[in-house]
Amino acid sequence: MSHDYDAIIIGGGHNGLTCAAYLAKAKKRVLVLERRHVLGGAAVSEEVFPGFTYSVCSYVVSLLRPDIIRDLDLPRHGLDLIPLESTFTPLPDGNSLYRGPDADETRREIAKFSTRDADTYPIFGQAMSQIGRIVKPVLGMTPPDLARPSLRAIFDLLRLGRRFGELDLDARTLQVKMMTMSAVEFLDEWFESDVLKAVMSISGIIGTFQSVSSPGTAYVLLHHYMGDIDGAYRSWGFSRGGTGQISLSIARAAQKFGADIKTDAGVARILTDGGIARGIVLENGDEYRAPIVVSGVDPHLTFLKLVGREQLPGAFVGDVERFKMRGSSGKVNLALDGLPDFTSRPGDGPHLRGDITIAPGLEYLERAYDDAKYGAFSRKPFMDVVIPTLTDPTLAPPGKHVMSIFVQYAPYKLKEGPADWKNQRDAFGDAVVDTLAEYCPNLKDLILHRQVLTPWDLEKEFGLTEGNIFHGELSLEQLFFQRPAAGWARYRTPIQNLWMCASGTHPGGGIMSAPGRNAAREILKGW
Amino acid sequence: MATHDVIVIGGGINGLVAACVLAGQKRDVIVLERRDVMGGIAATRVFHPGYSVPGLLHDTHGLRESVIEACGLWKHGLTLHPRRPFLAAEPDGHGMLVHADTSERDTEAYARFQAFLARIRGGLAALVDAPAPSLGDPLRKLVWPAFKTGRALRRLGRRDMMELLRIPSMCAADWLNDWFDDELLKAGLAQPALLGTWAGPWAAGTAANLLFDLAFAGREVLGGPAALVESLVGACRERGVTLRSGATIASLLVRENRVHGVGLGNGEELIAPAVLSCADPKHTLLDLVPIVHRPPDLVREIRNLRARGTLAKVHLALDAAPKFGDREPGSVDRIRTGTTLDDLERAFDAIKYGGWSDPPLLDINLVSLSDPGLAPRGHHVASILVHFAPANLKAGWTAPTKDALTRAVIEEFNRHAPGIADHIVAREILTPDDLAAEYALPTGHPFHGEHALDQLLSMRPTPACAQHNTPISGLYLGSAGTHPGGFSPGLPGLMAAARI
Ligand SMILES: Cc1cc2nc3c(=O)[nH]c(=O)nc-3n(C[C@H](O)[C@H](O)[C@H](O)COP(=O)(O)OP(=O)(O)OC[C@H]3O[C@@H](n4cnc5c(N)ncnc54)[C@H](O)[C@@H]3O)c2cc1C
Ligand SMILES: Cc1cc2nc3c(=O)[nH]c(=O)nc-3n(C[C@H](O)[C@H](O)[C@H](O)COP(=O)(O)OP(=O)(O)OC[C@H]3O[C@@H](n4cnc5c(N)ncnc54)[C@H](O)[C@@H]3O)c2cc1C
């Protein structure tokens, strides 16, 4: 049978697009099908209110692989990353902590809380970047299959082992600790001041349903410390035009290599025949057939909805069902009439141009988690706030601003059931704005528009099961050779010719493009 | 000055096991114990005239055949009997009896679960019974043990092997939810995973504790921990070990980074080329090693060893047997409270903020039911583990706070066994502070270091000391604070002896 396409990719998120670009670059005829009217998935820019463009979901970028940027020549297709250089942590007592590009200033700021911590801070940074360097290459590799040990798996393991072998005892210890400890325990070994530990530990819980004191979160911390924008260690950046521009630049690269991309094309089912994928059926009934089908949506959606339980081995269905999704985050996007004024640092300044973190102490973060554990959103949530218009004025009319507020915890499973988010959405938005207004009292008067995204909305609108922002928790038993299931971490699936390429596979979520590229590499191997 | 081949510090279970094994190799061994009796935490404790508990701990089901054989304990009166069921209790209900092989609800899943545990026991043993690999070794030395462990794991078959790799980093709640529907059963099973942890059932890593507790659960020692101590003391005596109680070590004698003996509190010195400390590793390295001989790196690492006490004990003398629901008084002797996993999680929440859990989460052992000698005729003794009573209580451990916790414990006991509060003859509470003072546990931690993923195997108690040796030559460590931890009485001592 002849086909119009060599491969069909389900979902126009940045990973699906990356996979498409690499396949097209290898001269394959590729079709990308996206359910929404825009491309990008969770890396998307939309003009939600006239004149105001939001990075609706993801808002900062760090892990995007530099080699992918080069391979696909993304800057030529519109990618422009702007460094984000500081973290500002206002405190309820009028004090604050500001960490910026100037090492001396950062030192003085930390010394307000502890001189010992101020001394330790740069040493910690060096230690982390050392581990980051070891772990980083792992992001680009296909996990070994420990379930069916082959010579190749043993070889892969030895290669991994050799990197570990090159370290001295201290570095090895640090690495093991990083893989097993909680963010707080890990930081406790270095620092004493509560504020510093709180603000540093939050990278460990972004997108997880864990507290900063849950073991395993130290690793997620590392995940957030491995980024390199312009080669600088632990640097985060904005994307000009919002994070959607990242997706669009990848899409343009893919198109330049000849890929076809369709939006408003939701896939209803993956066609299989005798355990082999043959193509897909769209929601409107159209069928497309191709020898290769690649899923860029999460594992639950892929297997439980698009393939169907009955087509799959029972044990595998069980593995997918227990792959934890558990959304825990929400997002509030505001259009503002002017700049917020923080009590602890009045006026405009560099502190508004970076990350603004509401994480005033460890106990605060624990309480936020405790609310969520029992099925309620945090009354006093942790928040990560950015005002991208200060570095990228194109996003709003002159003099106006957009503010992006990432919020935790917002558990998908409310006590009253997930559907009750429809009734609690506004209360959630109010809790976020009220809490933030405690630190900048003029906030409420500035708000022109407000968009509130609960985990329920993330599921319904963006196809993220249970609203999990990473297509599955980044917990230890869901990483590497177990992501999304042991034996199926090499982008293949039990359905022949059906592949996975999104955040539910190694190395996981975040705007990184690594799953998409790794998958393309594996697909092309046998082709 | 008396000279020996090996000096063992601490006459707890691990110290006695190590001494017994070393003496079996014809070495001249002396055990020095600070308290007036041998046994450490496992020693019998008379808490009121006529009433005693057979050691602070409840469970001896982790005792391994290898320890019994190495010490020849069969000859010394050790008797094992099948593990008794526990009652997963409900305040106003019937509760559920959970036996080693069957449970009153979720029966079929429970049987499958136990079958799974039985299958993986061998693979797990391969991991735990071998000395912990050293993180500091060159890679080629790590490959062989890894290969051996890998081979043992592969024998489990693909599915079980992958399960075994998956479980340890999980939280106990997720793992139990994979298997069971019944909340009460899950809560009852989860409780031991929380013993001495700073974690609730939703914290990652707690599944490892549960796995170890369940997979190694064999038979129990008749007469409890105290009977184990008694037979160990008998075995030590027979092999010629000198057992000296009331002998507190004040300091180790170290010269040029080598240990050559110990100094007692009374100024006496004892000489030996090897000293095995089965006291808490923090105490050993931070108090007993003279300050000038403490390697700074090691000091940093050992300080970071987390050993936050979270366990209290309440001992009650009763003039009647408690009655749980509609069950016959005296028909159950192990009772666990907490009816849902969330109850357990809430109990943990309290310590994050410096309080104790309200209501307290209890593990009650009516020790006199199987051993009537522990109380006057017709009377009883309840030995109660109180989870989540933190060493660093915000209000501090004072007479009023101790009394308040005791009353809260009694009230919770009474909620499950109505009327029992009127039958209390005497009571005692041991907070983590008391445990610290009486049993020389620096922060009152039962296992000399929390069981957490980063504090097991090659990391226990620190990477440099995980093979039972230390950077100070001649000084060895062998308490529950070393590999493989407090899961299995005597196993660390046995491994430390092998190392010497
Ligand atoms: C609120 C939020 C904030 C975040 N913040 C950050 C951040 O600041 N930095 C960062 O690095 N990461 C962040 N992330 C995570 C990051 O955005 C995601 O991990 C990443 O974008 C996922 O990319 P993906 O391509 O794997 O999947 P997705 O982006 O989820 O792409 C899947 C695509 O498939 C489409 N689709 C779904 N069902 C169908 C169907 N049936 N047929 C066709 N198409 C379908 C979806 O519409 C979507 O476009 C955030 C995520 C969220 C939700
Ligand atoms: C309340 C409680 C309940 C427990 N419940 C259980 C349970 O149910 N199941 C289980 O498996 N485990 C349980 N444990 C843990 C168990 O008791 C330990 O894992 C095990 O008994 C430790 O044995 P050990 O020999 O290593 O240490 P220890 O019993 O602590 O022995 C150390 C000995 O060293 C002595 N010593 C210390 N310093 C000096 C010094 N300077 N000089 C001389 N002597 C010194 C001490 O007095 C002590 O006797 C419990 C512990 C506690 C506290």
Coordinates of all heavy atoms in Angstrom, one line a residue, chain A residues 166-228:
Chain A
E166 N 34.6 8.2 37.3 CA 35.6 9.3 37.2 C 35.5 10.3 38.4 O 36.4 11.1 38.6 CB 35.3 10.1 35.9 CG 35.8 9.3 34.7 CD 35.2 9.7 33.4 OE1 34.5 10.8 33.4 OE2 35.4 9.1 32.4
L167 N 34.4 10.2 39.2 CA 34.2 11.1 40.3 C 35.0 10.6 41.5 O 35.3 9.5 41.7 CB 32.8 11.2 40.7 CG 31.8 11.6 39.5 CD1 30.4 11.5 40.0 CD2 32.2 13.0 39.1
D168 N 35.3 11.6 42.4 CA 35.9 11.2 43.7 C 34.8 10.9 44.6 O 33.6 11.1 44.3 CB 36.8 12.3 44.2 CG 36.1 13.6 44.5 OD1 34.9 13.6 44.5 OD2 36.8 14.6 44.7
L169 N 35.1 10.4 45.8 CA 34.1 9.9 46.8 C 33.1 11.0 47.1 O 31.9 10.8 47.2 CB 34.8 9.4 48.0 CG 33.8 9.0 49.2 CD1 33.0 7.8 48.7 CD2 34.6 8.6 50.4
D170 N 33.6 12.2 47.3 CA 32.7 13.3 47.7 C 31.7 13.6 46.6 O 30.5 13.7 46.9 CB 33.5 14.6 47.9 CG 34.1 14.6 49.3 OD1 33.7 13.7 50.1 OD2 34.8 15.5 49.6
A171 N 32.1 13.6 45.4 CA 31.2 13.9 44.3 C 30.2 12.8 44.1 O 29.0 13.0 43.8 CB 32.0 14.1 43.0
R172 N 30.7 11.5 44.3 CA 29.8 10.4 44.2 C 28.7 10.4 45.3 O 27.5 10.2 45.0 CB 30.5 9.1 44.3 CG 31.4 8.8 43.2 CD 32.1 7.4 43.4 NE 33.1 7.1 42.4 CZ 33.8 6.0 42.4 NH1 33.6 5.1 43.3 NH2 34.7 5.8 41.4
T173 N 29.2 10.8 46.5 CA 28.2 10.9 47.6 C 27.2 11.9 47.3 O 26.0 11.7 47.5 CB 29.0 11.3 48.9 OG1 30.0 10.3 49.1 CG2 28.1 11.3 50.1
L174 N 27.6 13.0 46.8 CA 26.7 14.1 46.5 C 25.7 13.7 45.5 O 24.5 13.9 45.6 CB 27.5 15.3 46.0 CG 26.9 16.7 46.1 CD1 26.6 17.0 47.6 CD2 27.8 17.7 45.5
Q175 N 26.1 12.9 44.5 CA 25.2 12.5 43.5 C 24.2 11.5 44.0 O 23.0 11.6 43.7 CB 26.0 11.8 42.3 CG 25.1 11.3 41.3 CD 25.7 11.4 39.9 OE1 26.9 11.6 39.7 NE2 24.9 11.2 38.9
V176 N 24.7 10.6 44.9 CA 23.7 9.6 45.4 C 22.7 10.4 46.3 O 21.5 10.1 46.3 CB 24.4 8.5 46.3 CG1 23.4 7.7 47.0 CG2 25.3 7.7 45.3
K177 N 23.2 11.3 47.1 CA 22.3 12.1 47.9 C 21.2 12.8 47.1 O 20.1 12.9 47.4 CB 23.0 13.1 48.8 CG 23.8 12.4 49.9 CD 24.5 13.4 50.8 CE 25.0 12.7 52.0 NZ 25.7 13.6 52.9
M178 N 21.7 13.4 46.0 CA 20.8 14.1 45.1 C 19.7 13.3 44.6 O 18.6 13.7 44.4 CB 21.7 14.6 44.0 CG 21.2 15.6 43.1 SD 21.8 17.2 43.5 CE 20.3 18.0 43.6
M179 N 20.1 12.0 44.4 CA 19.1 11.1 43.8 C 18.1 10.6 44.8 O 17.1 10.0 44.4 CB 19.7 9.9 43.1 CG 20.6 10.2 41.9 SD 19.8 11.1 40.6 CE 18.6 9.9 40.1
T180 N 18.4 10.7 46.1 CA 17.5 10.1 47.1 C 16.9 11.0 48.1 O 16.0 10.6 48.8 CB 18.3 9.0 47.8 OG1 19.6 9.5 48.2 CG2 18.6 7.8 46.9
M181 N 17.5 12.1 48.3 CA 17.1 13.0 49.4 C 15.9 13.9 49.1 O 15.6 14.1 47.9 CB 18.2 13.8 49.9 CG 19.3 13.0 50.7 SD 20.7 14.1 51.1 CE 20.2 14.6 52.8
S182 N 15.4 14.5 50.1 CA 14.4 15.6 49.8 C 15.2 16.9 49.6 O 16.3 17.0 50.1 CB 13.5 15.7 51.0 OG 14.1 16.4 52.1
A183 N 14.6 17.8 49.0 CA 15.2 19.1 48.7 C 15.7 19.7 50.0 O 16.8 20.2 50.1 CB 14.3 20.0 47.9
V184 N 14.8 19.7 51.0 CA 15.1 20.4 52.2 C 16.3 19.7 52.9 O 17.2 20.4 53.4 CB 13.9 20.4 53.2 CG1 14.3 20.9 54.5 CG2 12.8 21.3 52.6
E185 N 16.2 18.4 53.0 CA 17.3 17.7 53.7 C 18.6 17.9 53.0 O 19.7 18.1 53.6 CB 17.0 16.2 53.7 CG 16.0 15.8 54.7 CD 15.3 14.4 54.4 OE1 15.7 13.8 53.3 OE2 14.4 14.0 55.1
F186 N 18.6 17.9 51.7 CA 19.8 18.2 50.9 C 20.3 19.6 51.2 O 21.5 19.8 51.4 CB 19.4 18.0 49.4 CG 20.6 18.1 48.5 CD1 21.5 17.0 48.4 CD2 20.9 19.2 47.8 CE1 22.6 17.1 47.6 CE2 22.0 19.3 46.9 CZ 22.9 18.2 46.9
L187 N 19.4 20.5 51.2 CA 19.9 21.9 51.4 C 20.3 22.1 52.9 O 21.2 22.9 53.2 CB 18.8 22.9 51.1 CG 18.5 23.0 49.5 CD1 17.2 23.7 49.3 CD2 19.6 23.6 48.8
D188 N 19.6 21.4 53.8 CA 20.0 21.5 55.2 C 21.5 21.2 55.4 O 22.1 21.7 56.4 CB 19.2 20.4 56.0 CG 17.9 21.0 56.6 OD1 17.8 22.2 56.6 OD2 17.0 20.2 56.9
E189 N 22.0 20.3 54.6 CA 23.5 20.0 54.8 C 24.4 21.2 54.4 O 25.5 21.2 54.7 CB 23.8 18.8 53.9 CG 23.0 17.5 54.4 CD 23.6 16.2 53.9 OE1 24.5 16.3 53.0 OE2 23.2 15.2 54.3
W190 N 23.8 22.1 53.7 CA 24.6 23.3 53.3 C 24.3 24.6 54.0 O 25.1 25.4 54.3 CB 24.5 23.5 51.8 CG 24.9 22.4 50.9 CD1 24.3 21.2 50.7 CD2 26.2 22.3 50.2 NE1 25.0 20.4 49.9 CE2 26.2 21.0 49.6 CE3 27.3 23.1 50.1 CZ2 27.3 20.6 48.8 CZ3 28.3 22.7 49.3 CH2 28.4 21.5 48.7
F191 N 23.0 24.8 54.2 CA 22.5 26.1 54.6 C 21.8 26.1 55.9 O 21.2 25.1 56.3 CB 21.6 26.8 53.5 CG 22.3 26.9 52.2 CD1 22.0 26.1 51.1 CD2 23.4 27.8 52.0 CE1 22.6 26.2 49.9 CE2 24.0 27.9 50.8 CZ 23.7 27.1 49.7
E192 N 21.7 27.3 56.5 CA 21.0 27.3 57.8 C 19.8 28.3 57.7 O 18.9 28.1 58.5 CB 21.9 27.8 58.9 CG 22.6 29.1 58.7 CD 23.6 29.5 59.8 OE1 24.0 28.6 60.5 OE2 24.0 30.6 59.8
S193 N 19.8 29.3 56.8 CA 18.7 30.2 56.9 C 17.4 29.7 56.2 O 17.5 29.2 55.1 CB 19.1 31.6 56.4 OG 19.0 31.6 55.0
D194 N 16.3 29.9 56.9 CA 15.1 29.4 56.5 C 14.6 29.9 55.1 O 14.2 29.2 54.2 CB 14.0 29.7 57.6 CG 12.7 29.0 57.3 OD1 12.7 27.8 57.3 OD2 11.7 29.7 57.2
V195 N 14.8 31.2 54.9 CA 14.3 31.8 53.7 C 15.1 31.3 52.5 O 14.5 30.9 51.5 CB 14.6 33.4 53.7 CG1 13.8 34.0 52.6 CG2 14.3 34.0 55.0
L196 N 16.4 31.2 52.6 CA 17.2 30.8 51.5 C 16.9 29.3 51.2 O 16.7 28.9 50.0 CB 18.7 30.9 51.9 CG 19.7 30.6 50.7 CD1 19.5 31.6 49.6 CD2 21.1 30.6 51.2
K197 N 16.7 28.5 52.2 CA 16.4 27.1 52.0 C 15.0 27.0 51.3 O 14.8 26.2 50.4 CB 16.4 26.3 53.3 CG 17.8 25.9 53.7 CD 17.8 25.0 54.9 CE 17.5 25.6 56.2 NZ 17.8 24.8 57.4
A198 N 14.1 27.8 51.8 CA 12.7 27.7 51.2 C 12.8 28.1 49.7 O 12.3 27.3 48.9 CB 11.8 28.7 52.0
V199 N 13.4 29.2 49.4 CA 13.3 29.6 48.0 C 14.1 28.7 47.1 O 13.8 28.5 46.0 CB 13.7 31.1 47.9 CG1 15.2 31.3 48.3 CG2 13.6 31.6 46.4
M200 N 15.2 28.1 47.7 CA 16.0 27.2 46.8 C 15.3 25.9 46.7 O 15.4 25.2 45.6 CB 17.4 27.0 47.4 CG 18.2 28.3 47.3 SD 19.8 28.1 47.9 CE 20.7 27.2 46.7
S201 N 14.5 25.5 47.7 CA 13.9 24.1 47.6 C 12.8 24.1 46.7 O 12.4 23.0 46.2 CB 13.5 23.7 49.0 OG 12.4 24.5 49.5
I202 N 12.2 25.2 46.3 CA 11.0 25.1 45.5 C 11.2 24.5 44.1 O 10.3 23.9 43.5 CB 10.2 26.4 45.4 CG1 11.1 27.6 45.1 CG2 9.5 26.7 46.7 CD1 11.0 28.0 43.7
S203 N 12.4 24.7 43.6 CA 12.7 24.1 42.3 C 12.5 22.6 42.4 O 12.3 21.9 41.4 CB 14.1 24.3 41.9 OG 14.6 25.5 42.3
G204 N 12.5 22.0 43.6 CA 12.4 20.6 43.8 C 10.9 20.1 43.7 O 10.7 18.9 43.6
I205 N 10.0 21.1 43.8 CA 8.6 20.6 43.9 C 7.8 21.1 42.7 O 6.6 20.7 42.5 CB 7.9 21.1 45.2 CG1 8.1 22.6 45.3 CG2 8.4 20.3 46.4 CD1 7.1 23.3 46.2
I206 N 8.4 21.9 41.8 CA 7.6 22.4 40.7 C 7.0 21.2 39.9 O 7.8 20.3 39.5 CB 8.5 23.2 39.7 CG1 9.1 24.4 40.5 CG2 7.8 23.6 38.5 CD1 8.7 25.7 40.1
G207 N 5.8 21.2 39.8 CA 5.1 20.2 38.9 C 4.9 18.9 39.6 O 4.5 17.9 39.0
T208 N 5.4 18.7 40.9 CA 5.2 17.4 41.5 C 4.1 17.5 42.6 O 3.8 18.6 43.1 CB 6.5 16.9 42.2 OG1 6.6 17.7 43.5 CG2 7.7 17.1 41.4
F209 N 3.6 16.4 43.0 CA 2.7 16.4 44.1 C 3.5 15.9 45.3 O 3.2 14.8 45.9 CB 1.5 15.5 43.9 CG 0.3 15.9 44.7 CD1 -1.0 15.9 44.1 CD2 0.4 16.2 46.0 CE1 -2.1 16.2 44.8 CE2 -0.7 16.6 46.8 CZ -2.0 16.6 46.2
Q210 N 4.5 16.6 45.7 CA 5.3 16.3 46.8 C 5.6 17.6 47.6 O 5.4 18.6 47.1 CB 6.7 15.8 46.3 CG 6.6 14.6 45.4 CD 6.7 13.3 46.1 OE1 7.5 13.1 47.0 NE2 5.8 12.4 45.8
S211 N 6.1 17.4 48.8 CA 6.4 18.6 49.6 C 8.0 18.7 49.5 O 8.6 17.8 49.0 CB 6.0 18.5 51.0 OG 7.0 17.9 51.8
V212 N 8.4 19.9 49.9 CA 9.9 20.1 49.8 C 10.6 19.1 50.7 O 11.8 19.0 50.6 CB 10.3 21.6 50.2 CG1 9.9 22.5 49.0 CG2 9.6 22.0 51.5
S213 N 9.9 18.5 51.6 CA 10.6 17.6 52.5 C 10.4 16.1 52.1 O 10.7 15.2 52.8 CB 10.2 17.8 54.0 OG 8.8 17.6 54.1
S214 N 9.8 15.9 50.9 CA 9.6 14.5 50.4 C 10.9 14.0 49.7 O 11.4 14.7 48.8 CB 8.4 14.4 49.4 OG 7.3 15.1 49.9
P215 N 11.3 12.8 50.1 CA 12.5 12.3 49.5 C 12.3 12.2 48.0 O 11.2 12.0 47.5 CB 12.6 10.9 50.1 CG 11.9 11.0 51.4 CD 10.8 12.0 51.2
G216 N 13.4 12.4 47.3 CA 13.3 12.4 45.8 C 13.2 13.7 45.2 O 13.6 13.9 44.0
T217 N 12.8 14.7 46.0 CA 12.7 16.1 45.4 C 14.0 16.8 45.1 O 14.1 17.7 44.4 CB 11.8 17.0 46.2 OG1 12.2 16.9 47.6 CG2 10.4 16.6 46.2
A218 N 15.1 16.3 45.8 CA 16.4 16.9 45.5 C 16.8 16.7 44.1 O 17.4 17.5 43.4 CB 17.5 16.3 46.4
Y219 N 16.3 15.5 43.5 CA 16.6 15.3 42.1 C 16.0 16.3 41.2 O 16.5 16.9 40.3 CB 16.3 13.9 41.7 CG 16.3 13.8 40.2 CD1 17.6 13.7 39.5 CD2 15.2 13.9 39.4 CE1 17.7 13.6 38.2 CE2 15.3 13.8 38.0 CZ 16.5 13.7 37.4 OH 16.6 13.7 36.0
V220 N 14.7 16.6 41.5 CA 14.0 17.6 40.7 C 14.7 18.9 40.7 O 14.7 19.7 39.8 CB 12.5 17.7 41.1 CG1 11.7 18.5 40.1 CG2 11.9 16.3 41.2
L221 N 15.2 19.2 41.9 CA 16.0 20.4 42.1 C 17.1 20.5 41.1 O 17.3 21.5 40.4 CB 16.6 20.4 43.5 CG 17.2 21.6 44.2 CD1 16.2 22.1 45.1 CD2 18.4 21.1 45.0
L222 N 17.8 19.4 40.9 CA 18.9 19.3 39.9 C 18.3 19.5 38.5 O 18.9 20.2 37.7 CB 19.6 17.9 40.0 CG 20.8 17.7 39.1 CD1 21.9 18.7 39.5 CD2 21.3 16.3 39.2
H223 N 17.2 18.9 38.3 CA 16.6 19.0 37.0 C 16.4 20.5 36.6 O 16.5 20.9 35.5 CB 15.2 18.4 37.1 CG 14.8 17.7 35.8 ND1 13.9 18.2 34.9 CD2 15.1 16.4 35.4 CE1 13.7 17.3 34.0 NE2 14.4 16.2 34.2
H224 N 16.2 21.3 37.6 CA 16.0 22.7 37.4 C 17.3 23.5 37.4 O 17.3 24.7 37.3 CB 15.0 23.3 38.4 CG 13.6 22.8 38.1 ND1 12.6 23.6 37.5 CD2 13.0 21.6 38.4 CE1 11.5 22.9 37.4 NE2 11.7 21.7 37.9
Y225 N 18.4 22.8 37.7 CA 19.6 23.5 37.8 C 20.6 23.2 36.6 O 21.7 23.5 36.6 CB 20.4 23.1 39.1 CG 20.1 24.0 40.3 CD1 18.8 23.9 40.9 CD2 20.9 25.0 40.7 CE1 18.5 24.7 42.0 CE2 20.7 25.8 41.7 CZ 19.5 25.7 42.4 OH 19.2 26.5 43.4
M226 N 20.0 22.4 35.7 CA 20.9 21.9 34.6 C 20.8 22.8 33.4 O 21.5 22.5 32.4 CB 20.5 20.5 34.2 CG 21.2 19.5 35.2 SD 20.9 17.8 34.7 CE 19.1 17.7 34.8
G227 N 20.0 23.8 33.4 CA 19.7 24.6 32.3 C 20.9 25.3 31.8 O 21.8 25.6 32.6
D228 N 21.0 25.6 30.5 CA 22.0 26.5 30.1 C 21.5 27.3 28.9 O 21.3 26.8 27.8 CB 23.4 25.8 29.7 CG 23.2 24.5 29.1 OD1 22.1 24.1 28.8 OD2 24.2 23.9 28.8

